[in-house]
């Protein structure tokens, strides 16, 4: 069962604060692997090694022993050997990286994504919680995770990420999950990540179009819209990124045809998913404010900011938007050489009306609002190979971190 796979993947994480579901898991944070060269192996020496180590990795090996040792016992174990060499500095971090590699090298069914979030949150109950933002047209709950640091939840400006607005953009699901993964699993070991989590409250919604996402996995891999019926047509679905209730009525950036990929709906904000997302944005605005909003999409390799509804208008802080985007594009390129084009959405790519970043910028009063169009530029398009998941999420993380550091000011 896939759920068993996820539980075995996430719950044994060698990280402080993991809360087990069945029995307590061993935390290997700070443990080292030592390679011991022994002068003479006696029963007494073997007994001492067994007592002081967590595991002997190669029992019966004549010329040397590889042993897992807690931080408190490293010196004592090393003293028993003629020579000792550290071959793994931190077993916990090595296990974390191993588990990281497993999840982020494949695409997964919708149910497993929910399990991923719940299992991740279960390991860090002191600074995270599962959150919801309404339901889809078919009754699925829009599920995400809220992450916070010092000061407690809800005490800092908000950072809000939305993923899988368009159903076929599977890489956006993996990318938002990677953001949550990094923020939680690195909080206790990476001072730079801790600084960010202590500065902001993170709200990460990995799949805000669950009906469409499920439909791409069961029926039509290239489906884009939600699965809401249209009373005036036999065609199905609204484009959730043309349904936000700001400049929805402007012409030229969406379609009024229910059969179109960019169908805007019968009225502004009439998609259930958008009702939930709008309520979420408004609540965060009215609480501590939104410092950074990112809507993750694919494909094209763009970093875009408002406005989508006008190619001539600019935000009041257009220069700051450009500065953060420039820094992010440079950070991404430094990781893997991937090139991103940056600029205001309409003039850089095309006109969009009723879109998320225009709403979060004006009614939502976010300081910074961006759309990331992730890999690639069209060779694979929406069917980005699984082999590109890890490179994509890693480089995108670098870009987002760059933005977060600049947004701290």
């Amino acid at each position: 069962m896939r759920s068993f796979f996820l539980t075995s993947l996430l719950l044994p994480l060698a990280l402080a604060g993991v809360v087990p579901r069945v029995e307590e898991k061993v935390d290997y944070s700070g443990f080292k692997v030592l390679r011991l060269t022994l002068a003479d192996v006696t029963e007494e020496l073997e007994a001492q090694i067994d007592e002081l180590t967590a595991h002997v990795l190669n029992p019966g090996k004549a010329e040397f022993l590889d042993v897992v040792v807690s931080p408190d016992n490293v010196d004592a174990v090393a003293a028993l050997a003629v020579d000792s060499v550290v071959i793994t500095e931190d077993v916990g971090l090595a296990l974390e990286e191993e588990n990281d590699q497993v999840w982020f090298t494949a695409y997964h069914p919708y149910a497993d994504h929910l399990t991923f979030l719940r299992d991740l949150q279960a390991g860090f109950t002191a600074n995270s919680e599962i959150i919801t933002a309404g339901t889809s047209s078919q009754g699925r709950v829009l599920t995400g995770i809220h992450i916070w640091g010092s000061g407690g939840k809800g005490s800092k400006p908000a950072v809000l990420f939305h993923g899988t607005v368009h159903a076929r953009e599977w890489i956006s699901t993996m990318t938002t999950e990677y953001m949550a993964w990094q923020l939680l699993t690195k909080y206790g070991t990476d001072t730079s990540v801790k600084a960010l989590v202590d500065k902001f409250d993170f709200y990460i919604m990995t799949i805000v179009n669950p009906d469409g996402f499920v439909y791409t996995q069961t029926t039509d891999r290239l489906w884009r819209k939600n699965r809401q019926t249209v009373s005036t047509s036999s065609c199905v679905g609204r484009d959730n990124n043309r349904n936000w209730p700001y400049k929805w009525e402007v012409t030229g950036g969406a379609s009024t045809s229910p059969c179109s990929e960019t169908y805007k709906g019968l009225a502004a904000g009439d998609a259930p998913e958008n009702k939930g997302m709008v309520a979420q944005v408004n609540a965060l605005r009215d609480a501590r404010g939104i410092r950074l909003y990112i809507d993750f999409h694919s494909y094209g390799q763009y970093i875009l900011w408002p406005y989508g509804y006008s190619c001539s208008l600019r935000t009041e802080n257009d220069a700051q938007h450009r500065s953060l985007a420039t820094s992010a594009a440079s950070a991404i390129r430094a990781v893997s050489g991937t090139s991103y084009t940056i600029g205001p959405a309409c003039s850089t790519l095309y006109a969009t009306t009723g879109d998320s970043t225009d709403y979060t910028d004006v009614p939502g009063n976010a300081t910074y609002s961006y759309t990331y169009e992730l890999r690639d530029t069209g060779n694979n398009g929406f069917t980005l190979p699984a082999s590109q998941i890890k490179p994509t999420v890693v480089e995108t993380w670098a870009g987002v971190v760059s933005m977060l550091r600049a947004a701290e000011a």
Side-chain angles (χ1 to χ4, degrees), residues 292 302-307 311-331 333 340-349 361 367-372 399 402-403 406-407:
L292 175 65
Y302 290 90
I303 300 175
L304 307 169
W305 60 91
Y307 294 105
C311 290
S312 59
L313 293 178
R314 296 290 182 265
T315 65
E316 292 181 356
N317 61 344
D318 179 75
Q320 290 89 340
H321 268 94
R322 182 173 295 277
S323 176
L324 265 66
T326 300
S327 175
S330 296
R333 189 166 53 251
Y340 270 67
T341 301
I342 69 168
C346 182
S347 60
T348 303
L349 190 54
D361 179 73
T367 308
Y368 302 104
S369 294
Y370 292 96
T371 295
Y372 271 58
S402 172
M403 280 189 167

Side-chain angles (χ1 to χ4, degrees), residues 30-353:
F31 280 58
K32 299 182 185 299
V33 176
L34 299 183
R35 177 160 291 175
L36 306 177
T37 302
L38 304 173
D40 187 24
V41 179
T42 63
E43 289 187 7
E44 181 181 359
L45 180 59
E46 287 180 335
Q48 288 180 290
I49 291 173
D50 285 342
E51 182 178 352
L52 291 171
T53 63
H55 295 285
V56 176
L57 300 180
N58 58 339
K61 187 75 173 178
E63 57 264 41
F64 59 82
L65 285 182
D66 292 340
V67 295
V68 180
V69 187
S70 70
D72 293 339
N73 290 338
V74 168
D75 291 341
V77 171
L80 298 175
V82 173
D83 185 46
S84 67
V85 178
V86 177
I87 59 175
T88 302
E89 284 287 350
D90 191 324
V91 176
L93 289 178
L95 291 175
E96 176 194 336
E97 178 64 18
E98 176 189 69
N99 290 319
D100 180 332
Q101 298 268 352
V102 171
W103 179 256
F104 295 103
T105 54
Y107 295 107
H108 309 282
Y110 173 66
D112 286 1
H113 286 290
L114 295 180
T115 303
F116 173 91
L117 278 185
R118 290 167 181 152
D119 284 350
L120 179 62
Q121 189 278 327
F124 300 90
T125 55
N127 62 330
S128 68
E129 64 181 352
I130 295 297
I131 57 174
T132 61
T135 58
S136 69
S137 62
Q138 294 180 344
R140 293 182 175 89
V141 177
L142 275 61
T143 304
I145 191 166
H146 173 203
I147 299 167
W148 64 86
S150 63
K153 66 179 181 179
S155 62
K156 309 292 172 57
V159 171
L160 176 60
F161 298 153
H162 282 161
T164 331
V165 173
H166 292 143
R168 60 196 178 195
E169 297 167 9
W170 290 7
I171 188 60
S172 70
T173 317
M174 305 303 296
T175 300
T176 48
E177 287 174 345
Y178 192 73
M179 303 296 119
W181 175 279
Q182 289 289 91
L183 291 167
L184 278 175
T185 64
K186 298 293 179 64
Y187 180 74
T189 58
D190 187 320
T191 56
S192 63
V193 171
K194 185 178 189 302
L196 294 175
V197 178
D198 286 344
K199 184 70 176 181
F200 302 111
D201 270 53
F202 290 85
Y203 300 81
I204 302 176
M205 310 298 295
T206 58
I207 303 175
V208 297
N209 182 6
D211 299 347
F213 183 70
V214 170
Y215 193 71
T216 65
Q217 298 191 324
T218 62
T219 308
D220 182 354
R221 173 64 181 85
L222 296 180
W223 184 259
R224 169 185 169 98
K225 300 182 288 183
N226 74 0
R227 293 296 299 166
Q228 185 177 0
T229 58
V230 183
S231 60
T232 60
S233 173
S234 60
C235 292
V236 174
R238 286 157 171 76
D239 182 343
N240 288 334
N241 203 34
R242 301 296 187 275
N243 190 247
W244 289 77
Y246 179 72
K247 300 300 180 182
W248 176 89
E249 72 286 355
V250 175
T251 59
S255 177
T256 57
S257 169
C259 299
S260 170
E261 296 274 34
T262 61
Y263 176 53
K264 65 195 296 184
L266 293 172
D270 69 346
E273 298 87 353
N274 283 73
K275 292 181 189 298
M277 289 187 284
V278 167
Q280 180 185 52
V281 168
N282 292 349
L284 294 176
R285 173 199 63 198
D286 296 341
R288 302 287 298 183
I290 301 172
R291 184 64 56 84
L292 175 65
Y293 172 77
I294 302 178
D295 194 356
F296 291 93
H297 287 261
S298 70
Y299 54 91
Q301 294 169 202
Y302 290 90
I303 300 175
L304 307 169
W305 60 91
Y307 294 105
Y309 77 91
S310 171
C311 290
S312 59
L313 293 178
R314 296 290 182 265
T315 65
E316 292 181 356
N317 61 344
D318 179 75
Q320 290 89 340
H321 268 94
R322 182 173 295 277
S323 176
L324 265 66
T326 300
S327 175
S330 296
I332 291 169
R333 189 166 53 251
V335 171
S336 52
T338 305
S339 179
Y340 270 67
T341 301
I342 69 168
C346 182
S347 60
T348 303
L349 190 54
Y350 47 65
T352 57
T353 51

